[in-house]
Amino acid sequence: MRFTYAETMVDPTYYVPLARAAEEAGYTSMVVADSVAYPKDSDAKYPYTPDGSREFLENKPFVEAFVVTAAMAAVTTTLRFTPFVLKLPIRPPVLVAKQAASIAAMSGNRLGLGVGISPWPDDFDMMGVPFEHRGARMDECIDIVRGLTGGGYFEFHGKFYDIAPLKINPVPTAPIPILIGGHSEPALRRAAQRGDGWMHAGGDPAELDRLLDRLTVLRAEYGTREDFEVHVISLDGFTVDGVKRLADRGVTDVIVGFRYPYTTEVDTEPLDTKIANLSRFAEKVIAKIGN
């Protein structure tokens, strides 16, 4: 079992020391949140809060995902970084491929590319991308990013993108794992069919069991690779016995955080407290489980 540290919407100066502390404590990876901008007026809902509210995002610091990943990768040597999740179809896929390949190449293959479809039309509007057919656009983006980051000339001719043969340089020496986020049926199917893994966003434990069961069925249907990654957020992840239960369900990576992020209040927890929390968990759970 691998362990991932989650922290977001904090003082931007905290990320570098937190990454160093997580690596030293024995975490395998750290997730990076993605948000481009917050619209002043919107009636869109957030799917992972009980009431659909997304006001907790307003006035919160979000360093651009690839920028903060590069900063943390530069001061670590083993820690892996995974956007959780990058809103892929609102971005130009060739640019995403260039950014991801550059970070992976410079960090020694320490990037896992978590991607998803934003649930908000606002994100598409602000980036000048149609909200319609976003799922099909997402599929093309995945194919383009995977093709370009693999090295050599690559061309693509789809419904949304038409790319003449081109290549980017540098590229990593190993494929970048593309991990699909989302709880919907299309997201699970996309993960099993196109992804190297799936990322769970938290919620009811009973719902997690249902999602894992469905993912198992879809993986069998598509003949998904055996080293498929399954990243989950679960209360079971905070005890040794709970982690063992998750491992029995095929979970490969447990994501843990030590505060509730969906609050409108600005985070005032000191850096020392955050480091103490992640270190305490490492002593009580990671050290007893091993990677």
Side-chain angles (χ1 to χ4, degrees):
M1 181 68 72
R2 297 181 296 249
F3 294 89
T4 298
Y5 174 57
E7 184 60 279
T8 184
M9 296 178 282
V10 299
D11 182 332
T13 65
Y14 285 8
Y15 286 106
V16 164
L18 285 174
R20 286 175 172 149
E23 180 174 80
E24 183 177 349
Y27 291 80
T28 301
S29 59
M30 188 167 173
V31 288
V32 179
D34 177 46
S35 181
V36 176
Y38 187 83
K40 182 178 181 182
D41 299 306
S42 175
D43 58 2
K45 301 296 183 181
Y46 188 69
Y48 304 117
T49 54
D51 60 357
S53 171
R54 67 173 189 171
E55 280 72 21
F56 70 91
L57 292 166
E58 188 174 11
N59 300 319
K60 298 294 178 63
F62 277 93
V63 181
E64 198 281 323
F66 284 121
V67 171
V68 70
T69 296
M72 293 189 292
V75 298
T76 53
T77 57
T78 62
L79 197 66
R80 175 179 171 183
F81 301 96
T82 308
F84 183 43
V85 289
L86 192 78
K87 299 170 182 177
L88 181 57
I90 71 171
R91 291 171 161 84
V94 175
L95 178 59
V96 172
K98 180 64 175 179
Q99 293 169 312
S102 296
I103 290 177
M106 293 186 70
S107 67
N109 305 320
R110 289 189 287 130
L111 178 71
L113 191 58
V115 297
I117 299 176
S118 172
W120 302 325
D122 312 278
D123 284 328
F124 289 82
D125 290 342
M126 70 178 67
M127 298 298 287
V129 178
F131 189 62
E132 295 74 22
H133 307 296
R134 55 197 177 278
R137 184 182 295 274
M138 170 81 159
D139 291 340
E140 291 194 10
C141 287
I142 292 171
D143 292 345
I144 293 167
V145 170
R146 180 173 279 124
L148 283 173
T149 57
Y153 283 99
F154 174 80
E155 63 183 288
F156 187 87
H157 307 288
K159 179 178 179 180
F160 306 100
Y161 303 97
D162 193 79
I163 301 172
L166 55 84
K167 64 179 175 180
I168 58 177
N169 192 17
V171 294
T173 57
I176 298 174
I178 296 181
L179 314 173
I180 313 298
H183 294 184
S184 68
E185 173 69 14
L188 295 174
R189 188 170 292 276
R190 182 174 291 111
Q193 182 180 21
R194 294 176 178 271
D196 300 302
W198 173 68
M199 301 194 78
H200 168 244
D204 184 354
E207 177 68 2
L208 173 58
D209 284 336
R210 184 194 70 79
L211 294 169
L212 290 173
D213 288 341
R214 182 58 181 155
L215 188 62
T216 298
V217 171
L218 292 170
R219 289 176 62 184
E221 178 181 336
Y222 288 107
T224 306
R225 53 193 292 176
E226 291 186 4
D227 59 350
F228 188 86
E229 299 180 15
V230 179
H231 299 237
V232 306
I233 299 173
S234 170
L235 289 176
D236 270 345
F238 289 86
T239 67
V240 171
D241 288 342
V243 170
K244 292 178 180 178
R245 284 193 293 271
L246 292 174
D248 289 340
R249 292 302 316 272
V251 172
T252 60
D253 296 75
V254 173
I255 303 170
V256 294
F258 306 104
R259 69 180 181 89
Y260 184 70
Y262 301 140
T263 174
T264 57
E265 298 178 357
V266 175
D267 176 49
T268 58
E269 186 176 64
L271 175 61
D272 288 348
T273 301
K274 294 183 184 299
I275 292 176
N277 288 337
L278 72 85
S279 298
R280 187 178 304 112
F281 174 84
E283 294 170 359
K284 292 184 176 181
V285 178
I286 298 179
K288 296 180 180 179
I289 295 292
N291 293 331

